[in-house]
């Protein structure tokens, strides 16, 4: 599989078999898969998807993505709940990027998610519950 076909989310699966179905409208079955698909959307510049999967109470009116930012890697650190039978979940992650001038950026969040009418939505970069000692 070429790098071009590989999903940006780090699953080592082809994009068409990983995040693309979510980007095309299928709901992600878990909070972690929504998180991965949102990372892939940042990497591919899919602002409409990011807005569509953002909870209305915290969603910005518009989202201007930095075209000079290259998203390089996603590391899932921890998950709490967020499964197919849950209504809330937390996903802690690190997203690594490079700016146009070569500066390395790491976005570390413990994001909260909620499920409404069967669809997971990103709520915010809240602190979320801890499940293990660090």
């Amino acid at each position: 599989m070429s790098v071009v076909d590989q999903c940006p989310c780090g699953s080592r699966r082809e994009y068409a078999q990983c995040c693309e179905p979510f980007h095309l409208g299928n709901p992600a079955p878990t909070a972690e898969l929504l998180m991965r698909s949102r990372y892939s959307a940042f990497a591919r510049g899919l602002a409409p998807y990011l807005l569509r999967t953002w909870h209305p109470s915290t969603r910005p009116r518009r989202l201007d993505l930095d075209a000079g930012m290259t998203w390089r890697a996603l590391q899932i650190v921890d998950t709490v709940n967020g499964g197919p039978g849950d209504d809330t979940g937390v996903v802690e992650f690190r997203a690594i990027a490079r700016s146009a001038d070569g500066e390395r950026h790491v976005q570390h969040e413990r994001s909260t998610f909620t499920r409404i009418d069967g669809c997971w939505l990103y709520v915010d970069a809240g602190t979320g519950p801890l499940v293990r000692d660090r």
Side-chain angles (χ1 to χ4, degrees), residues 1-19 44:
M1 171 175 24
S2 74
V3 174
V4 174
D5 299 324
Q6 200 168 45
C7 192
C9 80
S11 67
R12 297 187 180 168
R13 296 174 57 205
E14 287 187 27
Y15 173 66
Q17 303 302 315
C18 193
C19 290
R44 291 183 168 252

Side-chain angles (χ1 to χ4, degrees), residues 31 81-89 113-121 123:
N81 300 325
D86 297 318
D87 289 328
T88 62
F113 295 83
T114 190
R115 193 168 62 146
I116 299 174
D117 296 328
C119 294
W120 283 101
L121 298 171
V123 178

Side-chain angles (χ1 to χ4, degrees), residues 42-111:
F42 273 102
R44 291 183 168 252
L46 304 175
Y49 177 78
L50 293 165
L51 291 170
R52 186 171 70 245
T53 58
W54 209 314
H55 193 279
S57 69
T58 56
R59 178 176 48 223
R61 289 180 191 240
R62 61 182 257 197
L63 183 60
D64 297 319
L65 299 179
D66 182 349
M69 192 70 72
T70 302
W71 294 95
R72 309 286 301 244
L74 174 66
Q75 301 168 339
I76 302 297
V77 176
D78 191 20
T79 60
V80 179
N81 300 325
D86 297 318
D87 289 328
T88 62
V90 175
V91 179
E92 182 178 357
F93 70 92
R94 286 185 198 94
I96 297 133
R98 288 236 182 253
S99 62
D101 64 3
E103 185 178 344
R104 184 175 189 262
H105 295 269
V106 177
Q107 182 172 335
H108 187 171
E109 283 187 21
R110 195 159 175 83
S111 300

